[in-house]
Amino acid sequence: GLGSPLALYLAAAGVGTLGLVDDDTVDLSNLQRQVLYTTDDLGRPKLDAARTHLNALNPHVRIETYPTRFAPENALYLVRRYDIVADATDNFITRYLLNDACVIAGVPCVYGSLFQFAGQISVFATPGGPNVRDLFPEPPMDAISCGEGGVLGVLPGLIGSLQANEVLKWILGVGTPLVGRVLLVDALGTQFRTFGLERDPDNPLIGAPPAIQTIEESVAYTTSQGCIPSITPPYPMAQVPEISVSEYNAMRESDHPPVLLDVRRPDEVEIAEIGGTLIPLNELPTRISELEDHRDDPVIVVHCRSGGRSAQATALLHQHGYTNAVNLAGGILAWSDEVDPSVQKY
């Protein structure tokens, strides 16, 4: 959502080289906010479609694509190739990793984030300037992606365009960048306001010596805060084993029904539920031992609203030896559509 206006406006402006990192394909649900794509691109790798459209807009811009996830293994390599980075991520473990890589490499980062009807932008300039770990010393307990929580389609256009503005100002050396300031955008009230951001003396990226000086220390620190660790092969999120809601519904009638694990937030359970043990995704790393009695059960079915968070949880369970865990494809939304319409969608 943020990457679309960023890439379009930077290409249109004639920025010499654009590096794009993504491992996904274009889905119909993307199109209300990811305006870089069209219905003709459905099923295509996003980077292939992006290159096509950006080259059509400005054939003189060099487009470098990396069909992978931004991960600890490639973070410094990617960041160090460029003069400035724009954060268009949608989860906190990647956001912290990107932030820390930029600080370690000494590369400025234009931050943007959004949720439903509000967003924020800032510029994290190194060395010495405030960064994500000053704005969010700890990850918000209820943080979820736009795909999970929803977003007004035009909001990524607003935030991404403002990010592109900050990138161009930085490149050109004009205006006053949002260093040490955060711009808040309220799309419902059509209001913009700015507040100051200072360095937190407890920021692990500063100190004598800093607690975070390497990517390995970044990952360890973020994991200690309760964020889900990076997903590594052989179970990347796109390949976790899964079952359909109809398959799970049939399995419930067997002599040994599967264990059901709900990884949503408690407030979501109040809206709609299909049963199961509740362990929110952000708590799973520290509470995974609560599932020890089910390690040898035939199946653990993991579910959330639409299947995204449960895919992460399933991958994490496999990393801890729970090879009987499977993701419930489509989650609550698919259950309501295909099994029980009385379960409320949200």
Side-chain angles (χ1 to χ4, degrees), residues 66-318:
Y66 305 89
T68 183
R69 289 179 180 271
F70 188 86
E73 296 76 19
N74 59 32
L76 283 178
Y77 167 79
L78 291 170
V79 165
R80 284 173 172 159
R81 289 181 60 85
Y82 298 93
D83 298 302
I84 188 167
V85 169
D87 177 2
T89 60
D90 67 354
N91 64 86
F92 265 88
I93 191 152
T94 309
R95 178 161 292 143
Y96 283 134
L97 175 64
L98 178 61
N99 175 79
D100 296 352
C102 286
V103 172
I104 293 169
V107 177
C109 180
V110 177
Y111 157 79
S113 69
L114 44 83
F115 181 69
Q116 293 187 341
F117 305 104
Q120 50 191 229
I121 312 98
S122 189
V123 176
F124 303 137
T126 59
N131 57 63
V132 161
R133 291 195 182 275
D134 299 294
L135 184 59
F136 295 104
E138 296 182 358
M141 297 299 289
D142 60 349
I144 59 176
S145 70
C146 290
E148 290 286 328
V151 65
L152 182 67
V154 300
L155 182 62
L158 288 171
I159 304 300
S161 296
L162 289 167
Q163 284 182 275
N165 182 57
E166 292 301 315
V167 170
L168 292 173
K169 284 162 52 181
W170 188 273
I171 292 172
L172 296 170
V174 299
T176 304
L178 278 169
V179 176
R181 297 181 296 146
V182 179
L183 174 65
L184 301 181
V185 178
D186 173 6
L188 286 184
T190 317
Q191 294 181 331
F192 295 75
R193 64 185 181 92
T194 305
F195 68 86
L197 179 65
E198 298 180 351
R199 290 302 299 264
D200 182 347
D202 295 325
N203 187 317
L205 290 162
I206 64 174
I212 297 175
Q213 300 183 75
T214 66
I215 292 299
E216 291 74 19
E217 290 173 343
S218 167
V219 173
Y221 190 93
T222 302
T223 302
S224 72
Q225 293 182 302
C227 280
I228 300 299
S230 297
I231 303 303
T232 56
Y235 290 103
M237 291 197 311
Q239 299 176 17
V240 294
E242 64 180 23
I243 63 171
S244 68
V245 290
S246 58
E247 289 173 323
Y248 167 62
N249 191 38
M251 294 169 65
R252 293 197 307 161
E253 306 302 323
S254 68
D255 293 336
H256 300 285
V259 175
L260 184 63
L261 174 64
D262 186 345
V263 295
R264 298 174 300 152
R265 306 187 313 272
D267 62 295
E268 294 178 272
V269 178
E270 295 178 3
I271 300 172
E273 66 171 319
I274 59 175
T277 299
L278 175 65
I279 304 181
L281 178 61
N282 65 299
E283 299 178 16
L284 187 58
T286 58
R287 296 178 57 188
I288 202 166
S289 61
E290 296 178 23
L291 300 172
E292 186 63 34
D293 291 343
H294 302 298
R295 186 181 291 275
D296 297 323
D297 286 358
V299 182
I300 298 175
V301 176
V302 189
H303 85 88
C304 65
R305 175 180 175 270
S306 62
R309 283 170 288 171
S310 53
Q312 296 182 55
T314 302
L316 180 65
L317 288 170
H318 276 265

Side-chain angles (χ1 to χ4, degrees), residues 18-63:
L18 292 177
L20 308 176
V21 184
D22 200 291
D23 71 341
D24 203 0
T25 56
V26 180
D27 183 80
L28 185 63
S29 64
N30 302 146
L31 300 186
Q32 52 87 247
R33 65 191 183 279
Q34 298 180 18
V35 294
L36 184 55
Y37 311 116
T38 72
T39 53
D40 290 338
D41 297 316
L42 295 179
R44 291 183 68 188
K46 287 184 176 179
L47 293 187
D48 291 351
R51 182 192 296 276
T52 298
H53 297 305
L54 295 174
N55 282 338
L57 176 63
N58 187 345
H60 304 294
V61 172
R62 179 178 178 179
I63 308 296

